[in-house]
Amino acid sequence: MKKLLCLLLVLTIGTLQSQSIQSPSKEITVQFSLSENGKPNYSVVYKNQPVILESHLGMLLKDGSDLSSNFTILDTKTTTFNETWYPVLGEQSNVVNHYNEVTIALNQTASSKKMNIIFRVFDEGVAFRYDFPQQENLNYFIISNEVSEFNLTGNHKVFWLPGDFDSQEYDYNESLFSDINTDKINMNNGIALKSIAGKYVVQSPLMMKSASNLYLNIFEASVVNYPIMHLDANVSNFKLKSHLVPNAIGDKAYLQTPCVSPWRTIMVSDDARKIVSSKMIFNLNEPSKIADVSWIKPMKYVGIWWEMHIGKATWDYAGSQNAQNAANSELKPSGRHGATTENTKRYIDFAAKNGFDGVLVEGWNTGWEDWFGNWKEEVFDFVTPYPDFKITEISAYAKSKGVKMIMHHETSGSTANYERRLDRAFENMKKYGYDAVKTGYVGRIIPRGEFHDGQAMVNHFNFVARRAADYKIMVNSHESSRPTGYNRTYPNYIAAEAARGNEFNAWSYGNPPMHETILPFTRLLGGPMDYTPGIFEVKMSLYDKNKKEQVHTTLAKQLALYVTMYSPIQMAADLPENYEKYPDAFQFIKDVAVDWQESTYLEAEPGDYLTIARKEKNGERWFLGAITDENSRTTEVKLDFLSPNTSYEAIIYEDGKTADWLKNPICYSIKKVTVTSKSKLKLVLASGGGTAISFKPIK
């Protein structure tokens, strides 16, 4: 009898110290519990299959407080939420935000410190965050570590980037979890995070596939006033643990109650299409804080940019031969400067002729002679043009042609300098009619010792977007921390780079053919990417016979990227003269939309292939993009996404019969066929190739 009473007591206590919650579809279940010593733990099950084994949660503070054990549950509160919201710009005109939520209020027995853990369970995954209510004994505090674990069920296939607090500009590694080894990676200019006792630091989002064909993605959402989360990967037992980016003195985050952490996210599905199409990251961010969004518009643009990457022109006015004396003597033109008045007008003419919205000009302002790698506090003032860039004349010329100019602000990593000058820079933009800015953060961060992914820089990137909104300016950031859905809250944060873009193909070993098949499963889950597609002359030997670099795709795949790599600001990145060589292929870039009513993911497999169809917003045309990795591919797609009882003219831009990304990249064919929603199309993709299709209703 005593044994039975003891057993009942244990079961009662266990019930009080645990909580489970399911997704609306009931396919995902999260189990939360406190272990014997009051440690918070959780696990995740998908369709009766374990996805995350019991994993520990909590926080460690700099003052020695351990908020990862000795808790009791004070209360639990469950809610259900279901809404439809309407993005200003996006892959679809409306987004459903439906989840079940539980808030678990915890009290630490000895210290009486309180911490809530909130779980939201969507049909596509799980999110959790830490919530610190206002309390006398926990007011201002410093986080030294976050104890968020993700214990995997096995040796999954993983698509990973090495940990680097200053850069995401790597090509992806595809391996088993047990074969992760960042020590063998040639790091960029960031900090090389070496392994410790078999643990490697990798970046999130981390895309995985289990042996049972479950797709799993670990990421974060709504990173505000907090550092970016990397992941410690223990290759011996398949465990992942949060690794927060430190500041210059090693602290992770400075917080004051009441406050919350970002959401930690786990997406899971047996269908890869549900991962790549998920809007869970955006749903976890706050709604738009901009009341009037009428000025936020999609843009298709050209610009003075690629010619510098291929060595045809320079960003600086004087040339490298004058760099040492630039600060103390009058600048002398080198004759190779790209951002001249004459050249800019040529791009404006090209944009106006071909229906492009804008022209980006890099290298227009003083400072480029001595900007990189010197850790100089003040290099750019963001308002002073070079002598050969007549900004008043150019602005008037662009206006006369109906073309918008896009400003470029390279900060050289000196964020304090940029923030001091930000209002003057934005006022200068408005004076000359610039409504969008491309920001850059190349190099180490000033103040010294800070990282691109630290709390201070996350706050900077978000602040620039917020301040730009006051001026009705759209922001496209490069070399920033990777987005986590903040553009829902500030939709003028129209795009970012924050990954290895197309430019690397011009002067490095380039991006392997599988690169663009992985990015939509990783980087693009957090926001649009300015990848700068559309390179037609893919071999750099065209400009210098001694160069061996090239873009690792066929020309047809470059067209398909306008559909598969979503961004509401898309660049036709090649030189105008190269587009004039291939006017029939260029027609697709001129036609393709950049803002969408609806998107349908037809086929998807990370690292292998992706096929997407999208319908333009405020129109009836559809566009399809299909891409593959280094393996050629033949597939058949149904066109049941088209409107019924309607005939369409389909213009198919496809790889030619002998096309190959390495041997014969500029081999393509174009054909027209009539199709309906009952039709099927056979797609033949070359190695590193793709297919792009436009569908126009036949009246």
Side-chain angles (χ1 to χ4, degrees):
M1 186 66 178
K2 288 183 179 179
K3 289 183 179 180
L4 180 58
L5 287 174
C6 289
L7 179 60
L8 288 173
L9 181 61
V10 169
L11 289 174
T12 302
I13 293 173
T15 303
L16 291 174
Q17 300 302 305
S18 66
Q19 179 77 28
S20 66
I21 186 169
Q22 290 186 312
S23 62
S25 67
K26 302 188 184 306
E27 291 182 344
I28 300 176
T29 301
V30 176
Q31 182 72 38
F32 174 86
S33 64
L34 292 180
S35 61
E36 291 181 4
N37 56 355
K39 286 187 174 182
N41 298 287
Y42 79 104
S43 60
V44 179
V45 173
Y46 171 75
K47 292 184 177 179
N48 298 318
Q49 295 186 61
V51 175
I52 300 294
L53 302 178
E54 187 174 78
S55 301
H56 191 28
L57 299 171
M59 289 282 187
L60 303 179
L61 307 188
K62 189 176 182 179
D63 66 4
S65 299
D66 182 351
L67 300 183
S68 66
S69 61
N70 298 313
F71 282 109
T72 58
I73 296 178
L74 289 178
D75 188 25
T76 61
K77 179 182 178 182
T78 59
T79 59
T80 296
F81 187 81
N82 193 357
E83 70 167 355
T84 299
W85 59 279
Y86 302 89
V88 179
L89 306 171
E91 297 179 87
Q92 53 205 57
S93 61
N94 61 80
V95 175
V96 175
N97 185 14
H98 189 194
Y99 59 82
N100 293 328
E101 177 181 288
V102 60
T103 300
I104 302 162
L106 301 175
N107 179 69
Q108 196 169 55
T109 307
S111 69
S112 296
K113 289 185 172 68
K114 294 176 175 57
M115 180 178 75
N116 304 327
I117 299 178
I118 306 172
F119 286 92
R120 287 184 181 175
V121 190
F122 301 79
D123 285 343
E124 64 260 54
V126 176
F128 64 87
R129 78 182 336 173
Y130 303 94
D131 171 39
F132 298 94
Q134 192 166 6
Q135 51 197 294
E136 290 184 3
N137 59 348
L138 188 63
N139 185 13
Y140 172 82
F141 61 102
I142 302 172
I143 291 177
S144 60
N145 209 352
E146 179 183 322
V147 188
S148 296
E149 294 181 346
F150 310 86
N151 295 331
L152 307 177
T153 59
N155 195 14
H156 302 337
K157 180 166 70 174
V158 188
F159 301 90
W160 57 274
L161 299 177
D164 185 335
F165 298 157
D166 274 319
S167 178
Q168 318 88 358
E169 295 181 324
Y170 297 90
D171 59 304
Y172 279 87
N173 300 275
E174 178 182 347
S175 74
L176 291 175
F177 193 94
S178 60
D179 293 330
I180 292 174
N181 189 341
T182 61
D183 293 343
K184 295 182 179 180
I185 300 298
N186 181 24
M187 309 300 286
N188 281 356
N189 292 321
I191 181 171
L193 303 176
K194 297 297 184 181
S195 63
I196 300 176
K199 296 180 181 178
Y200 299 92
V201 182
V202 295
Q203 299 194 37
S204 72
L206 190 65
M207 185 68 201
M208 295 172 278
K209 184 180 182 181
S210 72
S212 60
N213 294 322
L214 285 186
Y215 298 91
L216 182 65
N217 185 286
I218 295 177
F219 193 21
E220 60 181 337
S222 190
V223 180
V224 178
N225 192 31
Y226 209 82
I228 293 296
M229 180 183 72
H230 285 37
L231 296 165
D232 287 331
N234 191 326
V235 297
S236 62
N237 58 16
F238 317 132
K239 291 186 176 182
L240 292 163
K241 183 180 178 181
S242 59
H243 186 121
L244 301 183
V245 176
N247 65 8
I249 61 174
D251 296 333
K252 305 300 172 60
Y254 303 113
L255 300 175
Q256 186 172 5
T257 57
C259 60
V260 293
S261 75
W263 293 97
R264 278 61 186 99
T265 64
I266 306 161
M267 299 181 196
V268 59
S269 180
D270 52 15
D271 186 343
R273 296 175 300 174
K274 292 183 179 179
I275 301 290
V276 73
S277 64
S278 173
K279 297 297 174 282
M280 191 172 100
I281 300 299
F282 301 100
N283 282 334
L284 289 163
N285 281 263
E286 293 185 23
S288 174
K289 293 183 180 295
I290 302 175
D292 174 20
V293 295
S294 60
W295 51 275
I296 302 173
K297 299 181 182 299
M299 297 186 76
K300 200 185 302 180
Y301 71 103
V302 295
I304 300 174
W305 176 79
W306 186 246
E307 60 187 75
M308 281 84 93
H309 285 285
I310 63 176
K312 179 183 176 182
T314 63
W315 282 272
D316 59 285
Y317 168 78
S320 59
Q321 71 274 17
N322 288 1
Q324 293 181 349
N325 301 318
N328 301 314
S329 62
E330 184 178 349
L331 294 175
K332 297 178 181 179
S334 66
R336 299 186 62 239
H337 187 215
T340 66
T341 301
E342 180 182 4
N343 197 28
T344 303
K345 286 184 175 181
R346 183 171 71 93
Y347 276 84
I348 292 171
D349 289 341
F350 181 79
K353 176 183 176 182
N354 293 285
F356 285 82
D357 303 294
V359 172
L360 167 74
V361 180
E362 295 197 8
W364 68 276
N365 57 321
T366 59
W368 287 90
E369 282 74 28
D370 192 25
W371 72 284
F372 177 70
N374 294 326
W375 269 18
K376 292 181 68 174
E377 181 76 16
E378 295 193 4
V379 176
F380 300 104
D381 68 8
F382 313 103
V383 297
T384 306
Y386 278 126
D388 59 350
F389 187 83
K390 307 297 184 184
I391 188 169
T392 302
E393 180 181 338
I394 288 168
S395 297
Y397 189 77
K399 185 176 181 180
S400 72
K401 295 284 186 174
V403 173
K404 301 295 293 187
M405 296 299 297
I406 301 173
M407 180 58 71
H408 183 235
H409 289 163
E410 175 55 60
T411 67
S412 66
S414 184
T415 57
N417 178 52
Y418 191 40
E419 289 186 10
R420 284 194 299 269
R421 301 176 182 274
L422 192 60
D423 285 288
R424 281 169 286 180
F426 285 163
E427 288 166 2
N428 189 60
M429 286 179 59
K430 300 306 289 186
K431 176 181 178 181
Y432 292 107
Y434 289 73
D435 294 333
V437 60
K438 174 183 175 181
T439 58
Y441 296 86
V442 175
R444 297 292 183 88
I445 296 300
I446 303 172
R448 292 164 176 78
E450 296 292 336
F451 299 112
H452 285 74
D453 285 352
Q455 181 186 26
M457 285 304 298
V458 167
N459 289 346
H460 168 82
F461 298 130
N462 290 346
F463 167 71
V464 170
R466 294 195 304 270
R467 195 71 181 114
D470 295 334
Y471 287 87
K472 295 187 176 181
I473 288 173
M474 298 183 293
V475 177
N476 170 20
S477 66
H478 280 232
E479 297 86 34
S480 63
S481 58
R482 78 283 187 282
T484 59
Y486 195 66
N487 64 316
R488 180 189 177 187
T489 310
Y490 282 89
N492 66 310
Y493 200 166
I494 191 170
E497 182 192 38
R500 190 178 176 92
N502 219 4
E503 66 198 56
F504 277 81
N505 292 301
W507 36 259
S508 75
Y509 61 84
N511 304 337
M514 74 172 183
H515 187 64
E516 295 93 351
T517 70
I518 300 172
L519 284 170
F521 288 90
T522 52
R523 159 64 187 82
L524 274 89
L525 292 177
M529 181 180 178
D530 187 26
Y531 188 71
T532 61
I535 304 301
F536 281 11
E537 290 292 356
V538 300
K539 290 184 178 291
M540 299 307 107
S541 57
L542 175 72
Y543 311 106
D544 183 342
K545 63 181 181 181
N546 296 316
K547 286 189 173 183
K548 297 181 180 180
E549 294 86 359
Q550 74 164 88
V551 183
H552 293 53
T553 73
T554 64
L555 186 149
K557 185 176 182 179
Q558 286 292 304
L559 298 180
L561 293 177
Y562 285 93
V563 182
T564 63
M565 299 287 287
Y566 168 67
S567 177
I569 181 167
Q570 288 278 24
M571 185 179 198
D574 211 337
L575 309 181
E577 53 266 37
N578 290 340
Y579 291 130
E580 290 168 348
K581 293 179 186 177
Y582 310 100
D584 53 350
F586 183 50
Q587 187 62 45
F588 181 83
I589 300 179
K590 293 165 62 175
D591 289 342
V592 69
V594 291
D595 192 25
W596 305 103
Q597 176 74 20
E598 182 181 349
S599 294
T600 301
Y601 288 75
L602 303 176
E603 304 173 308
E605 183 65 29
D608 291 340
Y609 56 82
L610 183 63
T611 304
I612 305 174
R614 304 189 195 270
K615 184 182 181 182
E616 66 180 344
K617 191 176 286 185
N618 302 319
E620 295 300 322
R621 296 179 303 168
W622 282 81
F623 296 88
L624 182 146
I627 62 173
T628 187
D629 60 0
E630 70 278 3
N631 299 303
S632 59
R633 185 168 187 265
T634 300
T635 185
E636 186 177 72
V637 296
K638 297 179 180 180
L639 305 185
D640 51 5
F641 53 84
L642 297 174
S643 297
N645 304 316
T646 304
S647 295
Y648 291 80
E649 179 189 63
I651 306 177
I652 304 171
Y653 303 78
E654 60 186 357
D655 294 317
K657 292 183 178 180
T658 61
D660 180 277
W661 75 266
L662 180 61
K663 299 175 183 177
N664 195 14
I666 310 178
C667 177
Y668 65 92
S669 65
I670 303 173
K671 63 184 180 183
K672 297 181 180 180
V673 297
T674 300
V675 297
T676 69
S677 61
K678 297 181 180 180
S679 302
K680 298 179 181 179
L681 284 179
K682 181 181 179 181
L683 308 182
V684 180
L685 282 63
S687 171
T691 299
I693 307 175
S694 64
F695 300 92
K696 183 179 180 180
I698 298 172
K699 300 297 183 182

